[in-house]
Amino acid sequence: MAPILRVHVPFLKISPSKVARREHDVSTYEAVHVRKTGTQPRVMSVSTSVDYHGVSALVRFTRPHTVLGTVTSVCSMTLLAASHVRIFDVFGILGQALLPAVFMNIAIVGLNQVGEFSSNTGLLLVSASTAVAFTWGALSESTALISTLLVSLVLGILYSVDLKMLRWKRFPLLAAGCILLVRALTVHVGFFLHARFESCCMS
């Protein structure tokens, strides 16, 4: 039985020169195999197309720079509000807030990025991220945390969803106001209050 040559190209953008080198390598292997065995190897198809629905698309879908901003805000507000308690308690408070904050961030930016995937896949990612955020937030039993997640989601819907009277991103003033409300007010005040209330309960 002739051996099977499997050629796998990862979910990355591949330059034409790299594609040519891979095809040349396959051709060379075939020629050498024929000379040695007298049989033609069965070669699986070589995928050389750019796959924008793979890992790179998923990374773009989450908008990493916004995730970094969220992580920075939550950490700084938690450290500021809970500076009077033990460091282990601070990490506990941070653990309550950070995961739902990141998943809610992904859900909100995902509403604006569903075109990176099929509509069903994009909506599934948004729904799953929202469910994780609220489930984790509910487990904390923190009114401030749940309220922050809810207000952030509502503003994200107003900003992104393409329905009548919504999709505020089309209007510069509304778009800027929405971003300021989320990033400058809701996130900072909400997570500060969450950390303050939780730390007071530990004091």
Side-chain angles (χ1 to χ4, degrees), residues 100-174:
V102 168
F103 273 96
M104 183 54 69
N105 185 98
I106 293 173
I108 292 170
V109 299
L111 286 171
N112 209 28
Q113 308 301 323
V114 290
E116 295 285 345
F117 294 79
S118 67
S119 296
N120 290 337
T121 303
L123 291 175
L124 178 61
L125 289 170
V126 171
S127 300
S129 298
T130 303
V132 171
F134 278 115
T135 300
W136 194 270
L139 291 175
S140 71
E141 299 182 349
S142 169
T143 302
L145 177 57
I146 296 173
S147 299
T148 301
L149 297 173
L150 182 60
V151 172
S152 297
L153 179 62
V154 169
L155 289 172
I157 291 173
L158 292 173
Y159 182 85
S160 298
V161 175
D162 193 9
L163 293 176
K164 188 176 181 180
M165 304 297 291
L166 302 183
R167 203 165 179 80
W168 288 3
K169 62 181 291 183
R170 295 175 298 175
F171 311 103
L173 288 178
L174 287 177

Side-chain angles (χ1 to χ4, degrees), residues 175-188:
C178 196
I179 293 171
L180 285 173
L181 281 174
V182 173
R183 288 294 175 184
L185 184 63
T186 304
V187 170
H188 289 88

Side-chain angles (χ1 to χ4, degrees), residues 2-25:
I4 300 175
L5 173 62
R6 298 183 182 275
V7 180
H8 173 69
V9 179
F11 297 118
L12 298 172
K13 187 174 182 180
I14 305 172
S15 65
S17 61
K18 290 184 178 180
V19 171
R21 286 199 298 272
R22 284 183 179 272
E23 293 177 342
H24 177 266
D25 291 342

